[in-house]
Amino acid sequence: MSSSAAERSDALVIFGATGDLAFKQIFPALLALVEHGRLDMPIIAVGRKPLTDDALHARVHESIAATKAKPRGKSYDALVHQLRYVTVDFDDAKTFSRIRDAIPDSQHPLHYVALPPDTFQQVGAHLAAAGLARGARLMLEKPFGHDLASAQALSRALHESWPEDAIFRVDHYLGKEAVENIAYFRAANPVFEHALRVGQVASIQITMAEELGIDGRAGFYDAVGAIRDVVQNHMLELLACLTMELPTTPGHAGLRAARSLLLAQIAPILPTDVVRGQVAEYREVKGVAQDSTTETFAALRVRIDSDRWRGVPIAIRVGKSMPVTITEALVRWRVPAGPVLDETTAHAPDHLRFRIGPDFAIGVGVNVKRGGEAMTGELAELMLTHPPDPAASMQPYERLLGDAIDGDATLFASEDASLAGWRIVDPVLGNVVPVLRYAAATWGPPEAATLAPPDGWHDPVKTKG
Ligand code: BG6
């Protein structure tokens, strides 16, 4: 069976169309794709609940109204005209033929499974049994599996009907403009690229902080937790973008392989290199088990075993119910060992900072002289706060859906990368490390301080730019 990698998809089938992700991300992305002339095909929204097309369209309208002042227009009309709802019982293979009936002429459907990971195998198998795998692609939300063994088993099971080049594993961080820019920035600015290595870099840290808790998503989150939800995938891929060897071939092609190679060099995380936290009152959230030990915060020390990075302290910190919503990668350079010129100057390490969300920013920390007689200095930051052309920027789900329709897997996690992510976090999944309480709107349990790089956790609130 071949995936016809170069063929453009001719129908889009979306599982999970009544879910939160569809409402927040997928429907607005569909409209943007129609607006940009990239989605001229039938779109079938699939769900378990019976729903009329009108009810679906009303939900799409509500979703788009939440992101746009004027939701209706020519593109909106075109989108709802293309969009139909089909009810399928995921446990009953026979009901999958309804999808085939809805797209009788499609030769190359793209099936996007925006459902919890424990459904992927069954949905993949039932689609194949209904004759819907031939010439098709399967786009799967994350997490892909629950641990290393289940991810390997899932890959094996899917491969019975889906060749690897037909499987598109979503990591929406790879679709972010700010993340794509990291590789570009490095390649286009050799002065920084040259310094990104042991001997020049004092430490690297990545923070993904979210002010919100998990209300409304407990059913998904309590079985998953922070490490599976965002470290195994988003954080490790982000670290790979920052630390991989840049491909020598131009364009996108080598980036996916370069990220995978880097991930293969990260050592499995040791239990002593992890602090897990659970926000106070988490167990009272509707849908959370009363004795839940799921982490809503994690701090981890990561080691890259390569000549370029061996010995550089690297730390990742992720959490819900944090003081602020911000995702940033911070590289601190080593400071001059002695006094600057003829005066002793206490100066903070200067840095390179990539803000990934909620907005775009790149900050370059520099030491500059204070005004006055003395040769003493202070840290200042040069800050770029907008992507050069905001109008041309795409939201991740528009970019990723468009790429999957075109059969371009560059911005999707490869099987190697996904399995490498699991191999790295596998030793610290579950309750190997006890979960510690922390108060909402704080930076996690105080014990997280023990895993900070030698120059401390950076406070993105204080240095917001
Ligand atoms: C998702 C996680 O993948 O990413 C969520 O499941 C998290 O828990 C979200 O909130 C964050 O995405 P973004 O793009 O808002 O940083």
Side-chain angles (χ1 to χ4, degrees):
M1 211 169 300
S2 139
S3 71
S4 58
E7 296 284 355
R8 209 169 170 264
S9 300
D10 54 13
L12 174 61
V13 179
I14 303 171
F15 290 80
T18 55
D20 192 52
L21 184 70
F23 190 84
K24 290 196 182 135
Q25 304 284 355
I26 302 173
F27 296 146
L30 297 182
L31 181 65
L33 284 164
V34 174
E35 274 168 359
H36 297 136
R38 298 181 68 194
L39 192 61
D40 46 351
M41 61 189 72
I43 309 166
I44 307 302
V46 176
R48 289 186 171 98
K49 296 182 210 155
L51 203 70
T52 62
D53 286 349
D54 286 349
L56 172 70
H57 296 166
R59 198 169 156 76
V60 171
H61 183 260
E62 205 189 319
S63 147
I64 288 168
T67 61
K68 266 194 161 195
K70 284 203 184 114
R72 285 184 196 278
K74 240 170 68 191
S75 302
Y76 174 83
D77 292 344
L79 173 64
V80 293
H81 183 70
Q82 288 162 245
L83 183 62
R84 289 189 45 203
Y85 187 81
V86 170
T87 312
V88 166
D89 176 353
F90 301 153
D91 296 325
D92 180 357
K94 287 196 299 294
T95 61
F96 280 67
S97 62
R98 293 177 196 153
I99 301 172
R100 168 51 71 208
D101 297 343
I103 45 170
D105 301 327
S106 171
Q107 302 292 312
H108 303 292
L110 169 65
H111 306 287
Y112 174 20
V113 188
L115 296 173
D118 56 359
T119 60
F120 294 171
Q121 185 174 335
Q122 192 180 40
V123 169
H126 290 349
L127 282 170
L132 286 157
R134 211 166 309 117
R137 297 188 186 102
L138 187 63
M139 176 168 161
L140 300 167
E141 255 308 320
K142 53 142 275 277
F144 184 89
H146 196 65
D147 53 18
L148 179 60
S150 64
Q152 285 167 329
L154 178 58
S155 256
R156 270 196 306 274
L158 289 170
H159 288 159
E160 284 176 21
S161 325
W162 302 87
E164 181 53 33
D165 65 357
I167 300 175
F168 286 60
R169 295 175 184 79
V170 175
D171 183 328
H172 80 277
Y173 263 57
L174 293 174
K176 287 181 186 258
E177 198 71 51
V179 174
E180 283 225 275
N181 193 40
I182 294 176
Y184 186 86
F185 181 94
R186 290 179 52 197
N189 298 288
V191 67
F192 290 104
E193 177 57 13
H194 182 69
L196 276 171
R197 61 194 68 245
V198 66
Q200 306 280 338
V201 170
S203 70
I204 294 179
Q205 57 179 292
I206 300 179
T207 295
M208 177 185 181
E210 295 177 279
E211 259 178 294
L212 284 180
I214 55 119
D215 291 8
R217 288 181 78 217
F220 163 79
Y221 196 88
D222 198 38
V224 172
I227 296 176
R228 291 184 174 95
D229 186 35
V230 297
V231 177
Q232 182 271 342
N233 37 71
H234 303 332
M235 294 299 101
L236 290 175
E237 289 276 14
L238 184 54
L239 179 61
C241 291
L242 188 61
T243 54
M244 67 187 171
E245 296 298 332
L246 290 175
T248 46
T249 46
H252 273 178
L255 290 170
R256 198 181 192 218
R259 293 194 308 265
S260 293
L261 281 176
L262 186 285
L263 291 170
Q265 294 174 326
I266 299 183
I269 295 173
L270 304 172
T272 45
D273 284 341
V274 175
V275 167
R276 293 197 311 134
Q278 186 184 81
V279 68
E281 276 133 52
Y282 171 75
R283 293 177 181 178
E284 278 139 55
V285 175
K286 194 164 164 257
V288 169
Q290 276 180 0
D291 56 353
S292 170
T293 53
T294 299
E295 77 281 352
T296 55
F297 171 93
L300 314 96
R301 236 184 328 234
V302 177
R303 295 187 169 82
I304 305 179
D305 192 14
S306 71
D307 290 348
R308 182 170 183 154
W309 293 111
R310 198 168 298 116
V312 175
I314 301 176
I316 292 175
R317 181 174 57 159
V318 301
K320 302 278 187 191
S321 305
M322 297 276 104
V324 65
T325 297
I326 220 162
T327 300
E328 273 197 3
L330 180 81
V331 176
R332 283 191 175 125
W333 310 115
R334 290 177 61 165
V335 294
V340 173
L341 298 181
D342 55 351
E343 309 254 348
T344 309
T345 307
H347 48 144
D350 48 359
H351 62 260
L352 175 63
R353 176 151 70 113
F354 292 99
R355 171 110 36 90
I356 310 303
D359 48 0
F360 174 105
I362 298 178
V364 176
V366 287
N367 284 296
V368 293
K369 183 184 166 297
R370 277 181 216 266
E373 276 295 309
M375 279 299 235
T376 57
E378 62 189 358
L379 182 71
E381 189 173 41
L382 312 172
M383 197 81 179
L384 173 71
T385 51
H386 295 293
D389 184 358
S393 297
M394 270 189 261
Q395 291 303 313
Y397 278 91
E398 177 190 357
R399 191 193 301 273
L400 294 180
L401 271 161
D403 282 1
I405 286 168
D406 291 340
D408 179 353
T410 311
L411 296 179
F412 289 81
S414 64
E415 181 183 27
D416 288 353
S418 164
L419 295 180
W422 285 118
R423 181 187 51 73
I424 294 162
V425 300
D426 218 48
V428 295
L429 293 176
N431 287 318
V432 175
V433 178
V435 74
L436 309 169
R437 283 295 152 263
Y438 66 94
T442 67
W443 288 99
E447 289 80 351
T450 61
L451 296 183
D455 36 24
W457 289 114
H458 136 82
D459 182 347
V461 184
K462 283 205 190 121
T463 50
K464 228 171 152 181

